[in-house]
Amino acid sequence: EHDTSPFDLITRRYPEVLIIKPYNSCSQICVYCQRNWEIEGVLDPRAVYPRRMIDDAINWIRERPAIRDVLITGGDPFVLSDVTLKHIIGRVAAIKHVRRIRIGTRTPVALPFRITDELVDILRRHVLPGKREVCVVTHIEHPYEITPETAKAVSRLRQAGISVYNQQVFTFENSRRFETVALRRALRLIGVDPYYTF
């Protein structure tokens, strides 16, 4: 991503879409992750970038009206505190030309209890039907990962008007015959839309 990073914490490969990475760790380090080589330790306290650096990246977005879709990822941003997430999402939502805010996270699988009413409320307050979508992009890779706790976390998000999509990464396990079909069927039953496959 170094070649497509025009500013610290930002990756931009498409004119209207970019990635902002405020946090460089996760609740689970996945072997298939395209950024796992950057992560030094699980939940490393030094993985949270300084607020000034995050704000500078958001200001960079504000100055580019072509950007309509912002993916907040990392690392896993849902590992951040509610206070930090409220600040980041609020500042991104205040940019008038941003029409879609996505949060890339594996917490519905790895830490489903992280999807609290308080977190859902932080997201819900920025949903503006017809003007701005706020959605969660999960990383569920196999039907075995869909538990009752995951289903409950997804339901909590959906009931708040937050779309939930899934990004599947082809792995040895889920590339076997019928595994992806089984995953997509299971995702739909809990209210997750299969979105795209790496």
Side-chain angles (χ1 to χ4, degrees):
E1 296 185 350
H2 296 298
D3 294 339
T4 54
S5 180
F7 197 81
D8 285 342
L9 309 186
I10 288 177
T11 299
R12 187 182 187 190
R13 295 183 183 134
Y14 309 103
E16 291 191 350
V17 182
L18 65 68
I19 295 169
I20 182 169
K21 300 172 283 187
Y23 184 59
N24 192 30
S25 190
C26 293
S27 56
Q28 177 181 4
I29 310 302
C30 304
V31 296
Y32 51 78
C33 177
Q34 65 180 335
R35 292 189 196 99
N36 66 8
W37 59 272
E38 295 180 331
I39 296 171
E40 294 179 12
V42 177
L43 303 178
D44 187 334
R46 296 168 299 165
V48 181
Y49 291 103
R51 182 169 281 195
R52 173 198 50 76
M53 197 173 176
I54 296 168
D55 286 345
D56 286 348
I58 295 170
N59 290 337
W60 191 90
I61 297 168
R62 182 185 308 281
E63 294 166 4
R64 280 148 185 88
I67 297 163
R68 301 173 62 77
D69 186 334
V70 174
L71 170 60
I72 302 169
T73 185
D76 192 327
F78 276 0
V79 176
L80 295 168
S81 70
D82 284 354
V83 171
T84 302
L85 279 171
K86 184 176 180 180
H87 174 78
I88 294 168
I89 296 168
R91 290 218 52 224
V92 172
I95 302 171
K96 292 197 183 325
H97 54 84
V98 172
R99 296 310 197 95
R100 186 177 198 214
I101 300 171
R102 292 181 287 153
I103 295 101
T105 181
R106 194 156 154 76
T107 54
V109 171
L111 295 169
F113 50 86
R114 172 62 181 109
I115 312 300
T116 62
D117 290 337
E118 293 77 17
L119 176 59
V120 171
D121 188 57
I122 290 168
L123 303 175
R124 176 195 292 124
R125 68 182 63 168
H126 299 295
V127 174
L128 297 173
K131 294 185 179 180
R132 185 187 316 110
E133 178 186 18
V134 176
C135 52
V136 169
V137 181
T138 60
H139 304 288
I140 301 171
E141 305 305 329
H142 196 277
Y144 292 157
E145 294 183 323
I146 298 174
T147 63
E149 293 80 12
T150 297
K152 184 177 177 183
V154 169
S155 178
R156 190 173 273 162
L157 291 162
R158 292 287 305 263
Q159 288 174 9
I162 298 157
S163 306
V164 184
Y165 303 105
N166 192 63
Q167 170 186 299
Q168 178 187 350
V169 179
F170 254 174
T171 64
F172 175 77
E173 287 75 18
N174 69 19
S175 65
R176 292 178 296 192
R177 194 173 189 192
F178 305 123
E179 294 289 348
T180 291
V181 172
L183 173 62
R184 288 176 176 229
R185 287 177 176 171
L187 288 169
R188 290 301 310 131
L189 289 175
I190 65 166
V192 177
D193 293 316
Y195 187 45
Y196 58 89
T197 304
F198 273 136

